[in-house]
């Protein structure tokens, strides 16, 4: 029986992954071993069959698995992956973190878009598979077909990214901030909008608002910076768009992709406004057909108020596998410029779903 080790199952990505694996009954026919970085020896989920949590830093225990799925984060991958490989471990490593994505020995997995690259990788013995950046994966679930049809000269993406994209602790802090602001508003004697505004601004700027995680108020505000600084003024989150997007698609030469990534106070789902310079003037109807036919999860939302407010919001999409794309129209900039807005659950298609599907692809490969 295939021994599959799971590290990071308690975090945002890991817990959504477990939830999806339970829903899809992915556990049958595998032996599941749960690891922990903080609670080795503690109680594991029921799927461990009564076994306790193993120590995620124990290379011998890790090496006893045929497949390791890590949702623990980049720091953990940096600490453990190389020593594990150096110890001679030849198993399959499937990872949600960014650490190994751009390595020559890895493939970035998003099978509705790049299943042929994944299959080719398995056939030539690639053992390391990394889930893509959440915003990049969701963008490609929505418009990957336009790249594959050679219709994209360049693309910019302006993102609206949820708190949960930064992990469980950040999501909890956003709720604490919301509570803090709601309490301040409740204590305000006035229902006058300007008075309430003053009360809330003062609560947001006050020292008692919890900001240890984000380093700034997010509730009722936004943060126009995600991840580390890169050369040229980009953030690392912005850098991933072009680097990972082109690697997932296998494009040579690469198509320019860039934009500005912004954290907003939603709990779950990343949204992005896209501006695409088309390689030629293609009618809108044809573009919609390319997009709608790309995979079973993408949905073209009619460009009207009722449909946009009903279908194209984080509230509508959270917890679902659908990737709606709407507000599709030619921009005033010219007939080759396409505007679009898309939303997707970054914990599903942006993180957990490609990992669980990779395990399925791998199992079929090993059985064939
Ligand atoms: P996370 O929620 O912070 O979880 C990572 C680990 O933090 C957990 O496995 C857990 O480890 C520990 N932890 C500390 N406090 C916790 C708490 N209050 N609740 C649960 N776990 C807590 O991180 P994540 O968002 O799942 O991300 C994991 C990796 O996936 C990262 O590399 C991230 O960049 C990548 N990723 C995330 C997303 C996303 O939308 N969040 C999308 C794509 C990729 P122990 O149980 O061992 O203590």
């Amino acid at each position: 029986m295939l021994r599959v080790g799971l590290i990071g199952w308690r975090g945002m990505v890991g817990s959504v992954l477990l939830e999806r694996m339970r829903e899809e009954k992915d556990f049958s026919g595998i032996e599941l071993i749960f690891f922990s970085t903080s609670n080795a020896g503690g109680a594991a989920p029921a799927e461990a069959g009564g076994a306790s949590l193993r120590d995620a830093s124990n290379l011998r225990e890790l090496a006893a698995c045929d497949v390791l799925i890590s949702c623990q984060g980049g720091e953990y991958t940096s600490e453990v992956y190389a020593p594990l490989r150096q110890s001679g471990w030849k198993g399959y490593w499937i990872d949600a973190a960014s650490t190994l994505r751009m390595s020559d020995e890895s493939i970035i997995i998003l099978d509705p878009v790049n299943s042929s690259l994944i299959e080719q990788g398995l056939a030539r013995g690639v053992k390391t598979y990394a889930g893509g950046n959440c915003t990049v994966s969701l963008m490609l679930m929505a418009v990957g077909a336009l790249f594959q049809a050679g219709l994209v000269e360049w693309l910019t993406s302006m993102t609206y990214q949820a708190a949960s994209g930064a992990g469980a602790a950040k999501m909890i802090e956003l709720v604490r901030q919301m509570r803090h602001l709601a309490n301040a508003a409740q204590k305000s004697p006035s229902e006058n909008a300007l008075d309430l505004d003053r009360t809330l601004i003062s609560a947001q700027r006050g020292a008692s608002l919890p900001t240890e995680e984000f380093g700034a108020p997010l509730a009722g505000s936004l943060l126009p910076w995600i991840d580390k600084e890169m050369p040229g003024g980009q953030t690392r989150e912005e850098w991933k768009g072009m680097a990972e997007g082109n690697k997932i698609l296998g494009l040579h030469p690469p198509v320019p992709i860039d934009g500005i990534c912004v954290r907003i106070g939603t709990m779950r789902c990343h949204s992005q406004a896209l501006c695409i310079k088309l390689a030629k003037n293609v009618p809108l109807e044809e573009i919609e057909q390319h997009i709608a036919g790309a995979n079973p999860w993408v949905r073209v939302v009619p460009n009207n108020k009722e449909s946009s407010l009903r279908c194209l919001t984080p509230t509508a999409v959270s917890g679902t596998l659908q990737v709606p794309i709407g507000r599709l129209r030619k921009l005033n900039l010219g007939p080759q410029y396409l505007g679009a807005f898309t939303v997707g659950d970054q914990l599903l298609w942006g993180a957990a779903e490609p990992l669980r599907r990779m395990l399925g692809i791998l199992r079929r490969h090993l059985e064939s």
Side-chain angles (χ1 to χ4, degrees):
M1 201 182 273
L2 199 69
R3 283 170 65 85
V4 179
L6 200 51
I7 312 121
W9 52 273
R10 191 171 76 95
M12 282 316 301
V13 176
S15 46
V16 170
L17 176 65
L18 265 189
E19 212 171 77
R20 283 290 297 139
M21 290 179 84
R22 282 180 186 132
E23 275 168 20
E24 298 290 337
K25 306 200 178 359
D26 289 340
F27 298 122
S28 67
I30 58 174
E31 184 187 348
L32 205 58
I33 298 125
F34 289 85
F35 289 87
S36 172
T37 62
S38 61
N39 189 26
E47 287 80 7
S52 54
L53 293 172
R54 311 280 174 92
D55 179 1
S57 60
N58 185 325
L59 295 187
R60 211 166 30 83
E61 297 244 39
L62 290 167
C65 297
D66 305 300
V67 182
L68 288 167
I69 304 179
S70 174
C71 307
Q72 184 62 29
E75 224 169 280
Y76 175 76
T77 301
S78 302
E79 279 165 21
V80 160
Y81 177 80
L84 191 61
R85 287 289 187 218
Q86 278 153 17
S87 76
W89 183 67
K90 299 264 186 317
Y92 291 89
W93 178 275
I94 302 175
D95 201 336
S98 63
T99 319
L100 300 168
R101 287 179 196 150
M102 298 310 294
S103 155
D104 288 343
E105 66 187 72
S106 77
I107 287 179
I108 306 182
I109 45 178
L110 186 64
D111 67 277
V113 174
N114 71 349
S115 61
S116 57
L117 285 185
I118 297 171
E119 295 292 349
Q120 285 162 23
L122 285 169
R124 63 169 200 277
V126 173
K127 295 286 178 73
T128 304
Y129 295 86
N133 168 262
C134 37
T135 320
V136 177
S137 296
L138 291 171
M139 185 262 289
L140 291 181
M141 286 296 289
V143 297
L146 299 183
F147 284 91
Q148 284 163 330
L151 290 176
V152 182
E153 189 175 316
W154 53 251
L155 175 147
T156 70
S157 160
M158 302 298 169
T159 74
Y160 308 79
Q161 298 184 219
S164 56
K170 301 261 189 322
M171 200 176 180
I172 293 165
E173 181 169 277
L174 173 62
V175 175
R176 286 202 187 114
Q177 290 189 357
M178 288 177 181
R179 255 189 227 128
H180 185 88
L181 299 188
N183 287 341
Q186 218 165 16
K187 281 184 204 144
S188 163
S190 171
E191 277 295 302
N192 173 285
L194 206 52
D195 288 342
L196 279 172
D197 177 51
R198 281 191 204 101
T199 304
L200 287 193
I201 282 285
S202 142
Q204 281 174 313
R205 291 177 182 161
S208 51
L209 186 83
T211 56
E212 294 77 19
E213 291 291 333
F214 282 112
L218 177 60
S221 188
L222 58 78
L223 307 175
W225 191 282
I226 300 177
D227 211 339
K228 299 189 192 83
E229 186 170 354
M230 296 289 283
Q234 269 182 326
T235 65
R236 198 169 144 73
E237 187 77 358
E238 289 152 6
W239 171 84
K240 288 171 184 169
M242 181 151 172
E244 291 187 23
N246 281 284
K247 183 169 177 183
I248 292 172
L249 292 162
L251 293 179
H252 307 284
V255 170
I257 301 173
D258 206 345
I260 294 180
C261 292
V262 178
R263 182 81 62 204
I264 60 161
T266 45
M267 293 293 277
R268 196 163 159 165
C269 275
H270 289 350
S271 311
Q272 43 198 320
L274 307 177
C275 171
I276 300 174
K277 167 93 189 285
L278 297 165
K280 56 183 183 190
N281 180 8
V282 186
L284 198 54
E285 240 173 57
E286 204 178 301
I287 289 167
E288 289 182 355
Q289 280 165 11
H290 272 293
I291 293 174
N295 62 63
W297 300 277
V298 66
R299 299 260 182 285
V300 172
V301 175
N303 185 18
N304 60 55
K305 181 176 178 180
E306 193 275 326
S307 303
S308 302
L309 296 188
R310 186 164 47 84
C311 309
L312 207 51
T313 65
T315 309
V317 176
S318 273
T320 78
L321 286 164
Q322 289 188 11
V323 183
I325 174 166
R327 303 306 326 279
L328 279 157
R329 65 183 180 88
K330 295 291 185 78
L331 300 172
N332 283 346
L333 308 173
Q336 281 178 246
Y337 294 84
L338 177 73
F341 188 85
T342 177
V343 186
D345 189 324
Q346 96 289 347
L347 286 164
L348 287 166
W349 276 119
E353 198 62 11
L355 303 189
R356 65 158 286 273
R357 289 171 66 90
M358 183 63 218
L359 180 62
I361 294 168
L362 177 58
R363 289 179 71 181
R364 286 192 291 280
H365 169 79
L366 294 174
E367 282 157 16
S368 68

